[in-house]
Amino acid sequence: MDTCGVGCVALGEAGPVGNMTVVDCPGQEVLNQLDVKTSSETASTETSIEMSLPGFEDSLDEGKLPPEQESVSRLEQQDLSSEMSKVSKPRASKPGRKRGGRTRKGSKRPQQQPNPPPAPLVPALLDQSNPLSAPMPKKRGRKSKAELLLLKLSKGIEPPKSPPPKRPPEDFETPPGERPRRKAAQVALMYLQELAEELSTTLPAPVPCPESPKESSPPEPEVTIMQQEACQGGEEETDAAAQDEDFVFQVETEDEEESETSSESSSDSEPAMSRSTPRGSTSVKQKPHCRGVAANGLPNYIMAPVWKCLHLTKDLREQKHSYWEFADWIPLAWKWRLLSELEAASYLPQEEKSPLFSVQREGLPEDGTLYRINRFSSVTAHPERLDVSFFTGGPLWALDWCPVPEGAAASQYVALYSSPDMNETHPLSQLHSGPGLLQLWGLGTLQQESCPGSRAHFVYGIACDHGCIWDLKFCPSGAWELPDTPRKAPLLPRLGLLALACSDGSVLLFSLPHPEALLAEQPPDSMKPAIYKVQCVATLQVGAIQASEPPECGQCLSLAWMPTRPHHHLAAGYYNGMVVFWNLPTNSPLQRIRLSDGSLKLYPFQCFLAHDQAVRALQWCKANSHFIVSAGSDRKIKFWDLRRPYEPINSIKRFLSTELAWLLPYNGVTVAQDNCYASYGLCGIHYIDAGYLGFKAYFTAPRKGTVWSLSGSDWLGTIAAGDISGELIAAILPDMALNPVNVKRSVERRFPIYKADLMPYQYGSEGQDHSTASPGNPSPPKARTYAETVNHHYLLFQDTDLGSFHDLLQREPMLRMQEEEGHSLLCLDRLQLEAIHKVRFSPNLDSYGWLVSGGQSGLVRIHCVRGLTSPLAHRMQLESRAHFSAVFQPSSPSEEPDFPPPSHRILPFP
């Protein structure tokens, strides 16, 4: 033994396995001379099993094994390593970490020199004849690949014959004094490069990164990394551990095989994800490149989600929608009684003429014409921009499109409710009843490429005595039939099923007939417009049959019809926070009562307290009817699974929400908010994940004032919002299946549709252009009533050219929108005549690009977003029309056809 006090163990030449002899260890000078060779040997490949350490040459020369015993020596190495690990504790241990094992008894080791030469590769009590006996330090409790190979050798498993193709060559050497590069760093650079390519679509495409590592900066194999970490000690180990925090070993268990090159090659292009990453998180997914600009002027990476939504909506509607439901609820002519002019007067809105308004269209010369139209009248559609305007007589508070099957190419209808008085107010905490008018408007056959054949016209109205109608919803599918469907009198062809949420707490269900069939039953000299007193098919009430009095749930503020067939469930939200569900075709005597007039009274089958205050909005998941989302006045948004309604899936408290939109392809909702609780700069429209993917909220568009209404188009993947300032905007959502944290410059995804401003004017003849006030004239006193406002102001609508989006960011409407988003001022001490209360995208494929909106002024406007239409959607329309014609073939008239009749078979696509 020398001064080092270290013993070495070597194998004998002819002794049996495990026979050991003790020899002297080389001195410190020999170790220092051989330490130079160690740095060149640390870059050996992973497939090489022998890891030579300095100071072993003499012992190997003395006891060199013949070639036929090399395999036996490899098996002995593992046994020797396990035996020597029980003898003593290695000297080169990491600071602050305790190792198991018993210390060797004997003479104490001498104190080291103040500045001893580094010998990181010589641990204490090392088997000099066995290069594989050095215990490798473990990282995060995982075994290295070298140890896995040794375990396979000890079990008699043959090592892989050929190394993985992604390993670097054997002559690769780690630069002295430098840290070998990791896979995570290379993949991070690739991800940043692809992200820069998406943001700079106008630049030429860079050279794609090859899958195999470059020779100039190849990644080190895991064995080499572990060798270098095992050879470092003291402060060097601490620095390396701090630098390698982002590195995650791919080997997790002993059962994983090294030869799985498929999994290793797939992980090269994606950085390793943390274990704490939420389920489904795809923030590190490699997105497909969408370079270039679409025909409408928007980048392809913005239009790609729109094209994706077209396919998904088409496929899911074929699975979730039906052609015929609720066959018992057919309109009866004797239930529709036409009111006389005197009887209908109390139900009509009070205003007979609209306020003055003018329209300025981008790119077209301004004519400065002021319009004033009569109640239930409209302005002819513009020949180029296709926009239509009509006057309902009062502030608009409820609006919905009538669903039409794909490919029907029929006339489009909207149902709406306007308050009878422009200045009417009443508290939500109290029930309210009174006369009101439900209006049905026909818009004609809407086409994206041509002007509508006729102007919008008032079809008929339904007189109601249940107060205000806060919400109305059509049955999503299965309630529409052809206008010329033969029906035996007094049955009428059905246009749709409509549910109303009233301020007296009741929910009414109407079966609407086609206008042609209904008006044909009336005398030719009947009053125009036609106002009917109608008996509803069902009244939905809260409570139970056994209850003496119905519970006080307050006003019904929101409705949601189950979007998937058979559409049998209807949900309603009440002022006291209750959410109630009815089963419409139920036959249970506890939930259904037949009244003397033939109508039904239905009681709910399920209800629960969803919020502490009023339920302001409800939305059903369109892909799975088990899930629903609610927004309340308690500033909470709650996601519910109806199979376990005792607690929400997710509850988010952010701000006061006004309306929700749950688009078909995504796992979250878009929320419109009131600005009373919003933080500065965060008021507007947000996309909130339901909680399954764990994404953060995506700020879709900032708004200065309260966003009253929000609507989403499943066909376009786009939402539209109208606010108190009179601006209607649209925003194209990114692919929300991916994490939106990487979405940059959201301003490129939104654009204004029109902006309404309240402008002062001077008295003069209505036909003269000088009636408008000049910019230098002072504004008149701020008016608080409708009469004062219309006497001194007119509405100016500034429309955006929606046919193309070329140079969108430099156009005047976009610059005005961006300026008002950050610096506009709200004047809340006057009547907000320009406010937009309701916005709705068309849910029908034949008119998927059309949008209807209205507000406080009673003026309703219709616009076509032609820039978002595509040849793909046009081809879908043609295919749907061919399929619809094949399904609904002309058949011989029968007395009472039952849908679908035998001749109406659904034919597969060619």
Side-chain angles (χ1 to χ4, degrees):
M1 295 291 178
D2 54 3
T3 58
C4 294
V6 179
C8 299
V9 181
L11 291 174
E13 293 182 353
V17 177
N19 193 12
M20 298 179 290
T21 58
V22 180
V23 297
D24 291 338
C25 178
Q28 186 68 29
E29 297 179 357
V30 180
L31 297 176
N32 297 339
Q33 294 176 2
L34 297 177
D35 183 48
V36 183
K37 300 181 182 180
T38 307
S39 59
S40 62
E41 295 176 358
T42 57
S44 60
T45 60
E46 187 176 304
T47 55
S48 178
I49 304 175
E50 298 181 2
M51 295 181 289
S52 301
L53 297 177
F56 296 163
E57 288 80 7
D58 296 338
S59 60
L60 291 176
D61 292 338
E62 295 175 0
K64 187 175 182 181
L65 296 176
E68 59 273 6
Q69 297 183 3
E70 289 181 359
S71 60
V72 179
S73 64
R74 293 183 180 181
L75 296 176
E76 295 170 346
Q77 292 169 1
Q78 179 65 23
D79 297 334
L80 294 178
S81 299
S82 60
E83 291 291 333
M84 297 306 299
S85 62
K86 302 178 181 178
V87 178
S88 67
K89 177 180 178 181
R91 182 186 301 176
S93 60
K94 293 186 179 180
R97 180 183 299 177
K98 296 182 179 181
R99 293 181 180 267
R102 300 168 56 185
T103 57
R104 179 183 177 185
K105 299 181 181 180
S107 60
K108 296 184 179 179
R109 296 171 183 156
Q111 298 292 333
Q112 296 182 356
Q113 299 296 330
N115 295 321
L121 292 179
V122 184
L125 206 60
L126 185 66
D127 186 4
Q128 302 291 343
S129 64
N130 191 358
L132 292 179
S133 63
M136 304 298 293
K138 300 178 182 179
K139 187 174 182 180
R140 300 180 185 175
R142 302 174 183 172
K143 293 184 178 295
S144 65
K145 292 191 175 182
E147 292 177 339
L148 292 176
L149 283 175
L150 291 176
L151 290 174
K152 294 177 183 179
L153 290 175
S154 62
K155 296 177 181 179
I157 302 177
E158 292 294 333
K161 297 182 180 180
S162 60
K166 72 183 188 71
R167 303 302 181 190
E170 294 183 358
D171 56 350
F172 171 77
E173 294 184 3
T174 303
E178 293 185 7
R179 169 179 173 267
R181 298 186 179 181
R182 306 289 192 254
K183 292 182 181 179
Q186 185 180 12
V187 174
L189 292 176
M190 295 171 59
Y191 174 76
L192 292 176
Q193 182 180 5
E194 293 180 357
L195 184 62
E197 292 173 5
E198 291 184 6
L199 297 178
S200 57
T201 55
T202 57
L203 299 178
V207 180
C209 298
E211 298 181 359
S212 59
K214 297 181 181 180
E215 294 183 0
S216 59
S217 60
E220 285 284 342
E222 284 84 350
V223 174
T224 307
I225 294 172
M226 294 189 64
Q227 287 181 7
Q228 184 169 354
E229 290 177 354
C231 297
Q232 293 178 352
E235 297 180 355
E236 295 181 356
E237 286 187 8
T238 306
D239 297 340
Q243 294 175 358
D244 297 340
E245 288 180 357
D246 60 339
F247 185 80
V248 179
F249 286 103
Q250 300 296 332
V251 180
E252 296 184 359
T253 60
E254 296 183 1
D255 297 336
E256 293 184 20
E257 295 185 3
E258 273 188 23
S259 58
E260 292 179 346
T261 57
S262 60
S263 61
E264 293 178 355
S265 60
S266 63
S267 63
D268 288 343
S269 59
E270 299 181 4
M273 298 176 60
S274 173
R275 293 179 179 268
S276 61
T277 303
R279 177 179 9 180
S281 177
T282 53
S283 59
V284 295
K285 272 191 176 180
Q286 300 294 333
K287 300 180 181 178
H289 295 292
C290 298
R291 305 182 180 90
V293 179
N296 60 358
L298 293 176
N300 282 333
Y301 68 86
I302 294 180
M303 291 298 298
V306 178
W307 302 327
K308 173 185 176 182
C309 289
L310 286 170
H311 288 287
L312 291 177
T313 304
K314 184 71 165 55
D315 296 340
L316 286 177
R317 286 202 175 190
E318 291 177 355
Q319 302 173 11
K320 304 296 184 179
H321 282 195
S322 62
Y323 279 113
W324 190 247
E325 297 292 343
F326 304 102
D328 296 335
W329 292 348
I330 305 298
L332 296 173
W334 60 268
K335 290 187 177 182
W336 289 70
R337 184 175 67 88
L338 182 64
L339 298 181
S340 63
E341 184 176 356
L342 183 60
E343 294 174 333
S346 60
Y347 297 97
L348 297 178
Q350 296 180 2
E351 296 299 327
E352 297 182 357
K353 291 185 179 294
S354 71
L356 289 173
F357 68 96
S358 178
V359 181
Q360 293 181 1
R361 299 173 178 88
E362 181 192 8
L364 297 180
E366 302 179 4
D367 54 1
T369 304
L370 291 176
Y371 298 92
R372 188 192 295 272
I373 56 180
N374 296 327
R375 182 178 57 194
F376 306 145
S377 300
S378 64
V379 179
T380 308
H382 193 269
E384 296 183 20
R385 302 297 169 80
L386 310 182
D387 59 282
V388 182
S389 302
F390 58 89
F391 182 56
T392 62
L396 183 69
W397 285 109
L399 176 67
D400 199 19
W401 288 76
C402 178
V404 177
E406 285 76 19
S411 297
Q412 306 292 321
Y413 295 92
V414 292
L416 56 90
Y417 170 78
S418 293
S419 297
D421 189 2
M422 285 286 187
N423 301 314
E424 180 182 12
T425 59
H426 59 271
L428 293 178
S429 58
Q430 301 176 4
L431 296 179
H432 169 71
S433 61
L437 183 66
L438 175 68
Q439 304 177 23
L440 185 68
W441 287 76
L443 308 181
T445 304
L446 300 179
Q447 304 292 335
Q448 284 81 10
E449 60 275 0
S450 61
C451 183
S454 61
R455 65 175 64 187
H457 60 284
F458 179 84
V459 176
Y460 56 78
I462 299 177
C464 299
D465 295 301
H466 299 273
C468 296
I469 300 176
W470 293 122
D471 197 7
L472 53 88
K473 287 291 188 295
F474 275 97
C475 181
S477 69
W480 184 93
E481 60 181 345
L482 291 170
D484 55 354
T485 301
R487 287 290 184 185
K488 184 178 180 180
L491 298 178
L492 300 174
R494 191 172 67 186
L495 177 67
L497 291 174
L498 181 63
L500 310 180
C502 303
S503 61
D504 65 347
S506 61
V507 177
L508 306 178
L509 197 61
F510 290 94
S511 180
L512 303 183
H514 276 279
E516 298 85 354
L518 179 63
L519 297 177
E521 300 289 333
Q522 306 302 332
D525 57 346
S526 59
M527 187 196 72
K528 302 294 186 210
I531 308 298
Y532 294 88
K533 190 67 176 179
V534 186
Q535 179 183 334
C536 61
V537 296
T539 301
L540 281 58
Q541 186 174 336
V542 181
I545 297 178
Q546 295 84 356
S548 58
E549 295 182 0
E552 288 290 340
C553 292
Q555 300 187 27
C556 184
L557 302 178
S558 56
L559 289 175
W561 208 310
M562 188 173 71
T564 59
R565 61 183 180 189
H567 313 294
H568 286 175
H569 295 168
L570 183 67
Y574 283 85
Y575 176 78
N576 67 341
M578 293 290 294
V579 175
V580 184
F581 298 86
W582 291 274
N583 185 16
L584 300 180
T586 180
N587 292 321
S588 171
L590 299 178
Q591 301 175 11
R592 171 174 171 167
I593 297 178
R594 176 74 66 177
L595 301 180
S596 58
D597 57 358
S599 62
L600 297 175
K601 179 179 286 188
L602 302 180
Y603 290 91
F605 72 94
Q606 184 181 23
C607 59
F608 57 87
L609 187 63
H611 295 271
D612 297 333
Q613 299 180 23
V615 180
R616 300 172 66 97
L618 280 176
Q619 278 288 323
W620 228 304
C621 178
K622 299 175 183 177
N624 192 335
S625 59
H626 292 303
F627 301 98
I628 196 171
V629 61
S630 61
S633 296
D634 56 356
R635 300 170 53 189
K636 292 183 180 179
I637 300 172
K638 296 184 179 181
F639 295 86
W640 303 90
D641 186 349
L642 298 180
R643 294 166 294 187
R644 35 173 291 180
Y646 49 86
E647 64 175 355
I649 300 175
N650 194 10
S651 179
I652 305 169
K653 185 174 182 179
R654 295 176 58 91
F655 34 67
L656 184 60
S657 303
T658 56
E659 199 165 10
L660 305 172
W662 197 333
L663 296 186
L664 182 62
Y666 302 134
N667 187 47
V669 294
T670 310
V671 185
Q673 70 175 99
D674 197 323
N675 64 346
C676 59
Y677 294 108
S679 303
Y680 179 78
L682 294 180
C683 177
I685 308 166
H686 299 256
Y687 174 86
I688 298 178
D689 183 74
Y692 182 80
L693 299 178
F695 295 158
K696 293 184 178 180
Y698 170 66
F699 196 14
T700 306
R703 298 282 87 196
K704 267 296 182 180
T706 299
V707 182
W708 281 116
S709 182
L710 184 71
S711 178
S713 173
D714 295 330
W715 299 102
L716 299 176
T718 304
I719 57 101
D723 57 18
I724 194 174
S725 65
E727 187 169 21
L728 177 63
I729 68 166
I732 305 173
L733 293 179
D735 189 357
M736 289 303 175
L738 305 176
N739 197 335
V741 70
N742 297 323
V743 178
K744 308 299 181 183
R745 292 184 59 83
S746 61
V747 67
E748 297 180 352
R749 299 179 176 271
R750 62 179 182 269
F751 54 88
I753 297 178
Y754 70 85
K755 177 68 170 67
D757 291 316
L758 192 62
M759 307 295 293
Y761 76 102
Q762 294 177 347
Y763 288 100
S765 59
E766 295 184 2
Q768 297 178 0
D769 295 340
H770 66 271
S771 61
T772 59
S774 60
N777 295 336
S779 299
K782 298 174 181 178
R784 296 180 180 271
T785 63
Y786 175 78
E788 295 175 355
T789 304
V790 297
N791 288 336
H792 300 280
H793 296 80
Y794 75 98
L795 287 173
L796 176 62
F797 296 102
Q798 304 176 60
D799 291 7
T800 305
D801 183 10
L802 303 175
S804 174
F805 298 106
H806 291 279
D807 300 326
L808 180 63
L809 297 179
Q810 287 75 33
R811 287 159 60 173
E812 192 273 335
M814 279 290 296
L815 298 177
R816 182 188 67 244
M817 182 192 71
Q818 296 178 27
E819 181 181 359
E820 293 181 353
E821 284 177 351
H823 303 90
S824 64
L825 298 177
L826 295 177
C827 184
L828 301 179
D829 57 348
R830 63 171 177 85
L831 179 65
Q832 303 292 330
L833 191 63
E834 72 276 16
I836 300 175
H837 292 165
K838 284 298 173 181
V839 179
R840 288 294 180 267
F841 262 112
S842 173
N844 306 320
L845 178 60
D846 294 328
S847 58
Y848 72 98
W850 290 84
L851 180 72
V852 60
S853 60
Q856 179 65 35
S857 64
L859 291 169
V860 179
R861 307 200 66 206
I862 307 171
H863 292 81
C864 179
V865 192
R866 289 189 294 175
L868 296 183
T869 60
S870 62
L872 174 63
H874 182 66
R875 185 171 66 251
M876 286 185 178
Q877 289 178 341
L878 298 179
E879 293 176 355
S880 299
R881 291 172 186 173
H883 179 66
F884 184 85
S885 300
V887 171
F888 295 96
Q889 298 174 0
S891 59
S892 58
S894 59
E895 295 183 357
E896 188 173 354
D898 187 13
F899 273 73
S903 60
H904 290 187
R905 292 189 296 268
I906 299 178
L907 303 180
F909 283 107

